Amino acid sequence: MCGIIGAVTESAIKPVLAGLGRLEYRGYDSSGISIVINNEIKTRKVQGKLKKLKHILAEQPLDGEYAIGHTRWATHGKATLINAHPHQCGQVSVVHNGIIENHLQLKQQLLQWGHILKSSTDSEVIPHLINHYLSLQMTQEEAIERTIRQLKGSYALGVLINGVEKNLYAIKQGSPLVISEGNDGAYMASDAMALGRDINKIYYPKDNELIKLNADNVQLCNASLNKKIHYVNNTYYENIISKGKYSSFMEKEIFEQVDLLSNAMSKQQASSYTAINFTKLNKITIVACGTSYYAAAVAKFWFEKYANISVAIDIASEYRYRSPIITDNELTIFVSQSGETADTLAALAYAKSKKAQTLALVNVCNSSIAREAGFFFEIFAGPEIGVASTKAFTCQLAVFYKMCIEAAKQRAFISHTELRKLASYFQLVPYLIKKVLKQSSDMKRLAKKLSTYSNVLFLGRGIVTPIAQEGALKLKEISYIHAEAYAAGELKHGPIALLDEQMPVVVLAPKDSLTDKLLSNIQEVQARNAPVFIIGDACIREYINLQEDEFFELPSIPESILPFITVLPMQLLALYCAQALERNVDQPRNLAKSVTVE
Ligand code: F6R
């Protein structure tokens, strides 16, 4: 959840600060650096965003050959200065991403040894333990390995030791970590993107491989470093980390969807969904969190309607705690943009322990979930930086849609003509997305009005119900307007009690088989004086009286591809409401891009 980085190079502060900027999507509660200067470790930290740290370092510059940095998403201990990383004990400084579950016992032990711990984090025990073992005359490597054997939980660590030798060590257990050797130095970070243009070769360490980075080389301690190196295209990462003409990464990523969906479609044709024998399956279970869960909810609709396969969907944080029944002819699919979400990863481990057939849909191919699953499909969204997921959602849908066509074909549940129709509708997706994006100024107008309210209800029916839910999630996470979504038919079973002049209702109303029923639901809302905003087909306006800034017109869309197109207005609505309220769109409060803690 936090971002960590370390560098051994002539002027280490520059890549560390630049890298922290690229890691801020992982958390931005506090930031800090440690650097070796004149044979001493100096540490600077701030509560809050990186720009504060940069400001301090601009006024009092520090530089040296060995540095580590951290940007935090608070788990144990509040977002305060004292809890900011790096944590230092003597000449040992540590940055940590993950959770040390047994930190209270370790703290107790350290107190008995006479150590004074200042923070309320789980991480601070690490430099103290290493320092303790160094004081017992262990070598640096022995001291780290002895410490690691005591830690329970997940971690990726950067450990800076300024002893007789200066070294930067990196080690991980269940949390992401990359190592890179460039022409000018050695680096470690939470992800490859953090290293920007300076990387060309990267190495993904295994759990508990201790890696030493120093001015001479990168070494795997206690074993020969038989590295599987990945070569990286630097310009690719440069484009990814620039916002270009857009005001936020989220906006850029929303507008990227036209091209991405055309490219992703051709890339996905190359992937082989034929690897799955759908005729043998009698059930699919799909497990995911947040936006990825709503992609699963859409997939359920498709698989059941077009391929006649029963689909159960599960929230990852619940799955392994409720004894799910896993049968022989079942495929369990794990969906995760980051591939690092701790809840989804733990659910996958649970399914594997029960001998389930597992498949992952991920955006990050080197991620833990991709590696752990029986097999995986890439969604080809490219790195997603905005904390609110947008393009990954439509790319996840694209993979599910293609899989569903393959399943329908194998199971011969629908006719050849219907199959061909499903495939041809898919070709319309980029064109229709473009059409919706061209009307973005209409959505800006609607969002301006909606953003004056503190609570919003979203309604949908059928296949767009998960899209209404995704709309509510997007709105609350980046604008902080309280929003909830319901299948429109559920309104009368409770939520209708909330309706009055201060409770606007956003209705997702494309033209489909349920339009007439939805029109009755809208009448029910209007009869209770609740302001109504409709994202719908032009025909809706014949029945419902709305002002210009209360309506966003959807083009005519075939029912099977409705989720791809209707989610665009939802994403734009959240973006423009957040902008109207002057929120930080890419760094919403309390959130982070990869949720690597349970
Ligand atoms: C919402 C959002 C989150 C993620 C969720 C799962 O905009 O981004 O709800 O969808 O945390 O993340 P992944 O897909 O990386 O497992």
Side-chain angles (χ1 to χ4, degrees):
M1 205 74 186
C2 306
I4 64 170
I5 184 160
V8 183
T9 185
E10 204 183 316
S11 167
I13 199 72
K14 229 165 106 199
V16 165
L17 283 182
L20 285 180
R22 298 183 200 114
L23 285 171
E24 247 195 326
Y25 74 93
R26 298 179 71 90
Y28 29 81
D29 288 333
S30 64
S31 55
I33 55 118
S34 279
I35 189 154
V36 182
I37 297 179
N38 298 334
N39 221 16
E40 211 186 311
I41 296 182
K42 302 256 188 225
T43 296
R44 297 283 183 275
K45 4 191 204 188
V46 296
Q47 178 184 344
K49 302 226 166 96
L50 179 67
K51 61 177 186 221
K52 256 168 98 180
L53 181 69
K54 284 188 172 163
H55 184 72
I56 288 178
L57 289 168
E59 284 187 344
Q60 296 164 358
L62 292 178
D63 208 352
E65 238 186 321
Y66 288 76
I68 51 175
H70 189 269
T71 174
R72 179 166 188 247
W73 184 80
T75 55
H76 287 65
K78 290 198 169 140
T80 58
L81 183 61
I82 204 95
N83 289 335
H85 295 222
H87 290 288
Q88 194 176 337
C89 178
Q91 291 305 300
V92 180
S93 186
V94 170
V95 284
H96 167 220
N97 169 37
I99 300 267
I100 306 303
E101 287 163 3
N102 58 337
H103 68 106
L104 289 176
Q105 291 101 294
L106 296 171
K107 223 174 227 181
Q108 223 33 55
Q109 190 178 53
L110 284 161
L111 291 177
Q112 279 164 16
W113 291 340
H115 284 249
I116 297 168
L117 283 88
K118 299 178 202 131
S119 77
S120 42
T121 65
D122 55 335
S123 316
E124 197 187 358
V125 295
I126 304 169
H128 282 263
L129 286 170
I130 297 172
N131 196 49
H132 172 77
Y133 294 120
L134 284 174
S135 73
L136 302 182
Q137 308 308 318
M138 288 188 192
T139 64
Q140 294 180 355
E141 286 149 38
E142 284 166 351
I144 296 174
E145 279 170 345
R146 180 74 184 76
T147 300
I148 292 305
R149 285 205 293 278
Q150 284 187 268
L151 304 181
K152 289 207 179 101
S154 67
Y155 48 81
L157 303 176
V159 180
L160 189 58
I161 304 187
N162 176 39
V164 180
E165 268 184 34
K166 290 182 217 2
N167 286 307
L168 169 60
Y169 294 89
I171 190 160
K172 64 158 254 178
Q173 161 74 51
S175 297
L177 181 69
V178 299
I179 306 291
S180 157
E181 251 181 306
N183 297 331
D184 58 347
Y187 306 89
M188 51 145 296
S190 299
D191 68 42
M193 225 165 32
L195 304 170
R197 124 166 39 133
D198 300 321
I199 45 164
N200 39 40
K201 300 189 270 181
I202 52 175
Y203 169 59
Y204 294 92
K206 297 198 192 75
D207 277 352
N208 289 324
E209 278 183 348
L210 179 61
I211 292 165
K212 176 154 91 174
L213 295 81
N214 62 28
D216 304 324
N217 59 10
V218 174
Q219 264 177 272
L220 185 67
C221 304
N222 302 331
S224 70
L225 187 50
N226 186 11
K227 290 181 291 188
K228 186 166 175 228
I229 299 285
H230 300 251
Y231 289 88
V232 178
N233 174 348
N234 299 349
T235 345
Y236 171 73
Y237 280 109
E238 280 299 291
N239 290 337
I240 293 292
I241 57 186
S242 139
K243 284 187 214 155
K245 62 178 182 188
Y246 298 100
S247 63
S248 63
F249 281 110
M250 182 183 177
E251 186 178 16
K252 178 184 171 206
E253 287 160 4
I254 290 174
F255 280 83
E256 259 173 30
Q257 289 175 100
V258 181
D259 290 343
L260 262 175
L261 266 266
S262 337
N263 297 340
M265 280 195 290
S266 52
K267 281 185 182 153
Q268 278 149 21
Q269 265 148 16
S271 343
S272 181
Y273 303 114
T274 50
I276 308 169
N277 186 343
F278 288 99
T279 58
K280 290 253 164 69
L281 297 181
N282 53 24
K283 185 181 168 197
I284 295 177
T285 295
I286 314 177
V287 184
C289 303
T291 292
S292 297
Y293 175 78
Y294 295 132
V298 171
K300 173 181 168 69
F301 189 98
W302 283 331
F303 278 118
E304 291 185 343
K305 177 160 183 174
Y306 303 117
N308 193 34
I309 305 180
S310 161
V311 176
I313 51 174
D314 240 299
I315 292 170
S317 55
E318 291 287 313
Y319 178 73
R320 71 187 166 129
Y321 295 115
R322 59 158 194 79
S323 313
I325 294 160
I326 297 170
T327 55
D328 284 348
N329 297 322
E330 176 176 345
L331 175 67
T332 312
I333 306 179
F334 297 84
V335 192
S336 174
Q337 184 286 126
S338 62
E340 298 296 346
T341 300
D343 289 322
T344 314
L345 189 57
L348 169 60
Y350 176 86
K352 276 175 68 181
S353 75
K354 300 284 172 198
K355 308 270 179 294
Q357 265 191 80
T358 58
L359 160 67
L361 253 61
V362 293
N363 196 27
V364 183
C365 288
N366 280 305
S367 60
S368 310
I369 291 174
R371 287 196 306 266
E372 291 298 318
F375 60 113
F376 75 89
F377 292 139
E378 182 178 357
I379 62 161
F380 296 107
E384 192 179 58
I385 312 272
V387 165
S389 188
T390 51
K391 61 177 183 170
F393 180 76
T394 42
C395 290
Q396 287 165 345
L397 291 186
V399 174
F400 272 131
Y401 194 89
K402 285 273 185 181
M403 270 172 77
C404 179
I405 291 180
E406 176 60 28
K409 200 192 287 171
Q410 287 185 21
R411 292 166 73 90
F413 181 64
I414 53 173
S415 69
H416 285 296
T417 318
E418 281 177 291
L419 261 177
R420 269 199 302 276
K421 265 193 197 162
L422 282 184
S424 67
Y425 290 154
F426 193 39
Q427 303 299 325
L428 293 175
V429 168
Y431 161 76
L432 288 171
I433 289 184
K434 197 169 183 177
K435 211 163 168 191
V436 167
L437 288 175
K438 275 204 174 134
Q439 295 161 231
S440 59
S441 54
D442 296 349
M443 186 50 86
K444 229 176 224 169
R445 215 166 37 184
L446 189 153
K448 195 164 172 224
K449 189 162 187 177
L450 189 73
S451 64
T452 57
Y453 294 92
S454 313
N455 299 288
V456 181
L457 284 187
F458 283 72
L459 299 181
R461 280 203 90 120
I463 196 168
V464 298
T465 303
I467 304 301
Q469 292 170 314
E470 168 62 2
L473 173 63
K474 284 288 91 89
L475 185 69
K476 63 186 140 193
E477 73 178 318
I478 60 164
S479 74
Y480 317 145
I481 296 173
H482 173 229
E484 300 301 334
Y486 291 93
E490 269 296 288
L491 189 69
K492 57 188 174 296
H493 298 290
I496 200 162
L498 293 168
L499 298 187
D500 64 13
E501 295 78 3
Q502 285 311 309
M503 179 60 83
V505 179
V506 175
V507 189
L508 199 44
K511 179 127 186 56
D512 63 9
S513 51
L514 295 170
T515 308
D516 290 344
K517 295 200 181 302
L518 194 61
L519 280 169
S520 310
N521 299 134
I522 299 170
Q523 311 280 4
E524 287 159 17
V525 171
Q526 286 196 317
R528 270 88 191 168
N529 298 325
V532 173
F533 294 82
I534 295 186
I535 293 161
D537 189 272
C539 73
I540 303 286
R541 292 197 85 172
E542 290 168 25
Y543 305 95
I544 312 281
N545 190 17
L546 294 162
Q547 314 222 330
E548 283 303 310
D549 56 1
E550 293 166 347
F551 184 74
F552 181 90
E553 186 175 325
L554 288 173
S556 159
I557 308 165
E559 183 166 299
S560 69
I561 58 163
L562 274 172
F564 289 105
I565 316 304
T566 51
V567 78
L568 268 292
M570 296 283 125
Q571 297 171 347
L572 291 174
L573 176 63
L575 172 73
Y576 295 142
C577 281
Q579 284 179 352
L581 294 167
E582 298 185 358
R583 309 294 192 215
N584 186 335
V585 170
D586 286 330
Q587 297 184 339
R589 72 182 175 213
N590 306 337
L591 286 172
K593 187 69 188 158
S594 317
V595 187
T596 55
V597 291
E598 224 201 309

